[in-house]
Amino acid sequence: MATLSPLSFLATTKVSASSPSLLPSSSRKPSKASPRIAKVSCNASNPQGEPQNNRRDVLVGLGGLGAAAATFSYNPLALADAVATDVHACHKPSLPPGAKPIACCPPNYEDKEPIEYVIPKYTSLRIRTPAHDYADLDKYTKAITIMKSLPDDHPHSWTQQSRIHCAYCHNSYTQVGHKGVEMQVHFSWIFLPFHRWYLYFYERILGKLINDPTFALPFWNWDAPEGMEMPAIFTDRRSPLYNALRNQNHLPPTLVDLNWNGRSTGVDGSGDVEANLATMYRQVYEVKRPLCFYGKPYRAGDKPLSGSGNGSGSIELVPHNTVHSWTGDKTQPNIEDMGALYSAARDPIFYCHHANIDRMWSVWKSFGREDITDPDYQNASYVFYDENLNLVTVKNSDAFDTKKLGYDYKQLDLPWLKYKPTPRRTKAQRHGRKVKKLDLPFTLKDKIVSTVVKRPQTNRSQLEKDEKEESLVFTIQFDRTKHLKFDVLINEEEDYKWANPKYREFAGSFVNVSHAGQDPGATETTFTVGITDLLEQLDADDDDTIVVTLVPQYGDQVIIKDIKISFEECRLR
Ligand code: C2O
């Protein structure tokens, strides 16, 4: 099925009764001092029948219920809260080595208390269209030209818009109620909703600057062959959409490499179309559980990337991170602009890349996949300047339906749905070299290594498989300021150097884009790859063990602290 169906709307969204104009201010009400939502828990029963004394497990377990069936009630025993952004504690960012010092905090934040954002009642939709077939280029360049002409300290200026990203991912903002704890919008389940809000206000502000509330952003359609070049609207040197700090070998007609290894896998330095499509199938269609796709829980007080249990979802690692690294300028210290989180949003192509990431969220939901009902997810909140210069607080649950936000994506074919990876070899063709179990922890640097991992359970029933994804979970430690990519192959003891994602033996990749945060240097996280379908296709579902091969592709070393198979990991922390 290759079309987008209307999204089911899972949460109650506040919609004001105001006009669809750009000025919904009459419908605003000041938010309470803290944008945090009261501690809530869920009294719906747990589909796994697990003991309900661990609140977090119970909440996350709800992912298995139809969201409509879930009802929420106050629970005085609740322990955590949703993360919320403390604008008043904004401070200088932590930056990776080699980055020029910059400020990231929004202007005037000391004086303004954020108010709760009320979504205008939109009567027509802004339809975002592919950048290679974009009819509104004149409007877009005009709006960006005006944005770039605003003084740096104007909240709508180009400088300020790009600094939003720096503030939210380099330890400028802290969390409400958790003094000094970094607010970080990557590496967890808030990755998709935060970026949806960010683009929403960017689009509204651009529309306001040209007095056209119907203005809609383009998206970089890198998931289809016709959109795999860097979109030409960004590569014209005379255009305000141009940026010089990009990989100069990747200008059109080079195709994007969604599996970018620091060098191209395809012929002529281009990405390989089939490998790109198979990558989309594996990272989007095949990832059925929301916590595997979105990322793992991140709650108030949690330090990002500083302990096992947190981690990016499949969409963030690949293609999100790989497209960032593919686009950035390799001659810069941190692959600026797109290759480092603090600088990425200085490149106009950032917003086009993220529009397609956002579209992939809508596409994924259109497959009938459940959403996350945990209140700590639903209530996570951020602060932005809206198009009317109000400092506003917005939360995840108001961002689930793009139509409530007044936009949608042009419906396009999804060619990758036909590109399910296929086995490179049959079981009989495998050489069966004996592989030893490596002692943990071990360091992965420039050598390919193989180890054996025991499976706790084989031949699960279809029902069990539908409920829980068999997952390979790595606990890894690495330097977050450095670039890193390694691939994971299953049952490839020998001649595995091909590492091509169009083959089924390729299970996934861990990719880090340079960033810095509260804790300098080494950082620990989990990396999860689903292998249920993969093991069936490799005819390995009755094997007690699997061979796991790790292929370092570029960057710094990584310490592999643990490798295990779990049937829970995408759902529980
Ligand atoms: Cu906030 Cu593409 O990263």
Side-chain angles (χ1 to χ4, degrees):
M1 186 222 52
T3 52
L4 298 177
S5 62
L7 302 177
S8 54
F9 187 58
L10 299 179
T12 316
T13 300
K14 273 189 279 328
V15 177
S16 80
S18 68
S19 76
S21 84
L22 281 165
L23 294 157
S25 50
S26 62
S27 59
R28 293 172 195 289
K29 59 178 190 284
S31 60
K32 301 276 175 288
S34 159
R36 275 193 299 168
I37 308 300
K39 293 168 185 171
V40 284
S41 185
C42 184
N43 64 5
S45 70
N46 180 340
Q48 268 76 53
E50 286 148 357
Q52 297 214 359
N53 53 3
N54 182 329
R55 172 177 175 272
R56 294 185 171 202
D57 291 1
V58 171
L59 291 175
V60 179
L62 268 171
L65 279 182
T71 52
F72 297 106
S73 67
Y74 289 89
N75 176 357
L77 297 176
L79 298 171
D81 269 313
V83 285
T85 312
D86 188 348
V87 273
H88 298 295
C90 192
H91 56 276
K92 270 215 334 251
S94 313
L95 293 174
K100 285 199 202 80
I102 47 164
C104 297
C105 297
N108 287 327
Y109 63 88
E110 297 94 339
D111 312 327
K112 291 208 180 188
E113 199 54 61
I115 54 173
E116 195 174 320
Y117 183 63
V118 179
I119 302 168
K121 204 178 180 80
Y122 294 111
T123 49
S124 63
L125 295 175
R126 306 180 297 281
I127 303 296
R128 296 184 182 170
T129 52
H132 64 267
D133 185 23
Y134 184 54
D136 284 338
L137 182 59
D138 289 348
K139 287 184 190 175
Y140 196 16
T141 50
K142 185 174 164 205
I144 294 284
T145 304
I146 299 172
M147 189 176 256
K148 288 190 168 178
S149 73
L150 295 174
D152 278 358
D153 62 354
H154 191 290
H156 292 169
S157 70
W158 178 255
T159 305
Q160 290 302 330
Q161 287 300 301
S162 69
R163 284 182 182 173
I164 290 171
H165 199 249
C166 164
Y168 274 104
C169 56
H170 279 266
N171 187 31
S172 261
Y173 282 140
T174 55
Q175 299 176 21
V176 170
H178 296 273
K179 207 163 175 265
V181 179
E182 172 186 359
M183 174 80 188
Q184 168 60 260
V185 293
H186 303 87
F187 330 117
S188 81
W189 64 10
I190 67 170
F191 169 72
L192 288 170
F194 167 82
H195 289 83
R196 174 165 286 177
W197 278 118
Y198 185 9
L199 257 64
Y200 168 82
F201 287 115
Y202 177 72
E203 183 178 76
R204 299 299 292 156
I205 290 167
L206 290 168
K208 175 94 175 180
L209 293 176
I210 54 171
N211 235 322
D212 181 354
T214 70
F215 172 75
L217 292 170
F219 59 86
W220 183 356
N221 191 196
W222 33 245
D223 59 303
E226 56 275 25
M228 285 180 189
E229 289 180 7
M230 194 181 280
I233 61 172
F234 294 95
T235 61
D236 173 358
R237 285 175 180 272
R238 291 155 309 178
S239 166
L241 299 174
Y242 178 76
N243 181 31
L245 292 186
R246 293 187 191 136
N247 189 320
Q248 294 303 309
N249 297 325
H250 291 169
L251 302 177
T254 306
L255 300 185
V256 73
D257 189 342
L258 299 183
N259 187 49
W260 172 241
N261 287 333
R263 60 189 184 281
S264 275
T265 45
V267 281
D268 304 332
S270 256
D272 175 306
V273 172
E274 275 184 35
N276 282 345
L277 296 173
T279 297
M280 292 305 299
Y281 186 96
R282 192 188 66 234
Q283 298 296 115
V284 179
Y285 183 70
E286 206 162 55
V287 183
K288 302 187 183 81
R289 321 296 316 183
L291 293 185
C292 310
F293 184 68
Y294 295 36
K296 291 188 183 162
Y298 175 48
R299 305 176 199 272
D302 285 354
K303 282 190 177 183
L305 279 179
S306 51
S308 54
N310 57 50
S312 303
S314 64
I315 185 72
E316 184 181 356
L317 293 170
V318 177
H320 168 261
N321 285 357
T322 43
V323 172
H324 268 282
S325 305
W326 181 86
T327 308
D329 183 350
K330 267 176 93 175
T331 68
Q332 297 300 306
N334 302 290
I335 319 190
E336 287 87 348
D337 281 330
M338 276 285 276
L341 294 185
Y342 84 93
S343 55
R346 294 174 188 169
D347 188 336
I349 209 168
F350 168 91
Y351 307 87
C352 196
H353 172 39
H354 267 277
N356 208 36
I357 293 290
D358 187 64
R359 175 174 162 258
M360 287 305 121
W361 185 13
S362 295
V363 164
W364 189 83
K365 291 282 292 291
S366 77
F367 300 142
R369 308 274 162 86
E370 71 208 20
D371 215 322
I372 300 170
T373 52
D374 187 323
D376 288 350
Y377 170 75
Q378 301 237 344
N379 295 325
S381 64
Y382 325 98
V383 176
F384 291 93
Y385 274 105
D386 73 2
E387 71 274 22
N388 301 311
L389 291 171
N390 294 305
L391 193 62
V392 294
T393 298
V394 293
K395 64 177 188 213
N396 283 358
S397 60
D398 283 339
F400 294 166
D401 183 356
T402 66
K403 293 192 180 121
K404 292 273 180 203
L405 296 177
Y407 76 93
D408 202 353
Y409 288 97
K410 183 172 178 189
Q411 297 200 11
L412 298 178
D413 263 1
L414 302 172
W416 38 273
L417 287 178
K418 298 197 237 27
Y419 280 79
K420 182 170 180 165
T422 50
R424 189 175 76 94
R425 297 186 299 184
T426 63
K427 199 168 190 175
Q429 286 167 339
R430 285 176 49 202
H431 307 288
R433 177 170 66 90
K434 261 263 166 276
V435 173
K436 281 211 300 286
K437 184 174 184 309
L438 293 180
D439 289 336
L440 293 159
F442 62 85
T443 300
L444 183 69
K445 195 165 162 52
D446 29 36
K447 248 182 62 209
I448 298 170
V449 297
S450 294
T451 186
V452 171
V453 178
K454 195 163 161 33
R455 295 173 69 211
Q457 208 186 332
T458 60
N459 282 315
R460 294 185 303 146
S461 70
Q462 193 53 50
L463 190 72
E464 288 173 304
K465 287 179 177 173
D466 289 346
E467 268 189 356
K468 289 178 182 176
E469 173 77 24
E470 182 163 354
S471 303
L472 198 51
V473 183
F474 299 84
T475 304
I476 59 175
Q477 204 183 50
F478 60 99
D479 180 344
R480 64 196 284 182
T481 64
K482 306 236 172 79
H483 281 77
L484 170 70
K485 179 174 187 276
F486 67 88
D487 299 330
V488 179
L489 312 178
I490 305 294
N491 287 355
E492 277 286 0
E493 312 86 323
E494 292 177 21
D495 60 9
Y496 33 60
K497 293 213 178 71
W498 47 269
N500 188 324
K502 74 182 177 193
Y503 293 121
R504 186 68 280 185
E505 288 85 349
F506 190 105
S509 309
F510 181 79
V511 187
N512 185 53
V513 170
S514 168
H515 63 283
Q518 190 170 15
D519 301 310
T523 261
E524 190 173 301
T525 191
T526 61
F527 162 45
T528 305
V529 280
I531 52 171
T532 308
D533 289 359
L534 181 151
L535 292 180
E536 275 182 19
Q537 271 184 276
L538 293 184
D539 203 10
D541 202 18
D542 46 7
D543 297 354
D544 295 331
T545 57
I546 55 171
V547 173
V548 175
T549 297
L550 304 180
V551 186
Q553 292 289 6
Y554 62 74
D556 206 40
Q557 65 170 33
V558 52
I559 299 170
I560 311 290
K561 298 184 83 173
D562 191 31
I563 310 178
K564 65 168 191 254
I565 286 176
S566 162
F567 302 106
E568 306 282 343
E569 199 57 39
C570 282
R571 325 189 78 206
L572 307 176
R573 69 179 303 169

